Amino acid sequence: DQQVKQNSPSLSVQEGRISILNCDYTNSMFDYFLWYKKYPAEGPTFLISISSIKDKNEDGRFTVFLNKSAKHLSLHIVPSQPGDSAVYFCAASLNAGGTSYGKLTFGQGTILTVHP
Amino acid sequence: DTEVTQTPKHLVMGMTNKKSLKCEQHMGHRAMYWYKQKAKKPPELMFVYSYEKLSINESVPSRFSPECPNSSLLNLHLHALQPEDSALYLCASSQDGMLAGVETQYFGPGTRLLVL
């Protein structure tokens, strides 16, 4: 049962344009969502997060949007740069009275390629 | 500073060997994690330590044995591994581990393990 899904395995964008990465989840108990960026053979690097009490969080070129009714979040990168080319994972965690604390559920990842 | 360090970067071991992976953080975080990541897959949680106590074991085989000597260090002892255990092993840490759903986990670069 895949509770966090990234349905697009890859995305190709021109430099300077907007990149939109999407993520859907099924567990309505998730209350904290994160985006990580990963280069090959390296650990995931934290990018941005959003709590379920918000619908938008912005940090520089990165904005995350959360639509709780649709159980959908997206990451917008604008303007996209060639250095943004990497695998992007969305992840979710849930507050279940402490019994599942610290457990992140990851999506399958989306490979973003930004062309110069 | 959000650095998590891991040693070694690469490890090749035979199925009868005993080896250890090490992870260190100096952010004052009290929760530390081990993840396993196979190629083209998302990270999968193995263990969670909170305040130096094992709080989550995701049904990991006993040939993997975690140890948390103090709040800054996390080890993963390996014994009698199988070739299918070859993967990238990631360590992560977060502030508390008790505040489910509201914490960001910071990842180390990983140890690339090959079991022959």
Side-chain angles (χ1 to χ4, degrees):
Chain A
D1 175 27
Q2 204 175 333
Q3 296 189 67
V4 178
K5 295 181 185 179
Q6 294 175 254
N7 291 318
S8 298
S10 62
L11 175 68
S12 184
V13 171
Q14 204 68 31
E15 181 178 8
R17 306 294 287 268
I18 185 171
S19 296
I20 300 176
L21 298 121
N22 293 303
C23 180
D24 296 295
Y25 61 96
T26 56
N27 190 338
S28 57
M29 296 294 289
F30 285 141
D31 61 358
Y32 190 60
F33 304 89
L34 309 93
W35 283 96
Y36 287 88
K37 170 182 176 180
K38 187 176 184 302
Y39 295 114
E42 292 185 11
T45 301
F46 169 70
L47 278 176
I48 193 168
S49 62
I50 188 167
S51 164
S52 60
I53 62 173
K54 294 187 172 182
D55 54 18
K56 178 182 174 181
N57 189 25
E58 197 170 349
D59 184 2
R61 296 186 297 117
F62 302 94
T63 303
V64 56
F65 295 92
L66 175 63
N67 182 335
K68 278 187 294 182
S69 60
K71 296 193 182 68
H72 177 83
L73 67 154
S74 61
L75 175 68
H76 293 208
I77 306 173
V78 55
S80 301
Q81 300 172 354
D84 296 329
S85 298
V87 180
Y88 288 77
F89 289 99
C90 69
S93 68
L94 67 97
N95 188 340
T99 57
S100 296
Y101 48 77
K103 183 169 181 176
L104 280 181
T105 302
F106 284 86
Q108 295 293 100
T110 296
I111 301 170
L112 173 65
T113 304
V114 180
H115 298 283
Chain B
D1 181 15
T2 56
E3 190 179 24
V4 177
T5 59
Q6 290 186 244
T7 56
K9 276 193 168 183
H10 302 276
L11 179 62
V12 180
M13 60 187 290
M15 290 189 284
T16 58
N17 291 158
K18 282 186 182 181
K19 297 285 184 183
S20 296
L21 309 184
K22 296 185 186 305
C23 174
E24 191 167 3
Q25 56 86 15
H26 294 288
M27 296 178 277
H29 288 174
R30 302 310 300 270
M32 296 185 76
Y33 312 78
W34 281 115
Y35 286 84
K36 173 181 176 180
Q37 186 175 23
K38 302 281 270 185
K40 300 188 190 303
K41 296 286 187 184
E44 293 179 3
L45 182 67
M46 299 174 73
F47 303 104
V48 180
Y49 272 84
S50 180
Y51 289 82
E52 294 103 73
K53 289 189 176 2
L54 182 65
S55 59
I56 295 179
N57 177 340
E58 290 286 290
S59 303
V60 179
S62 59
R63 58 186 183 269
F64 295 91
S65 175
E67 178 198 18
C68 190
N70 60 56
S71 59
S72 301
L73 292 173
L74 185 66
N75 298 322
L76 185 63
H77 302 298
L78 315 172
H79 173 55
L81 295 194
Q82 304 296 310
E84 59 264 29
D85 296 321
S86 299
L88 180 68
Y89 287 84
L90 295 162
C91 174
S93 72
S94 68
Q95 185 68 40
D96 186 284
M98 303 288 281
L99 301 174
V102 293
E103 291 195 349
T104 296
Q105 293 182 23
Y106 296 93
F107 285 81
T111 293
R112 176 73 59 187
L113 174 67
L114 178 62
V115 182
L116 299 175

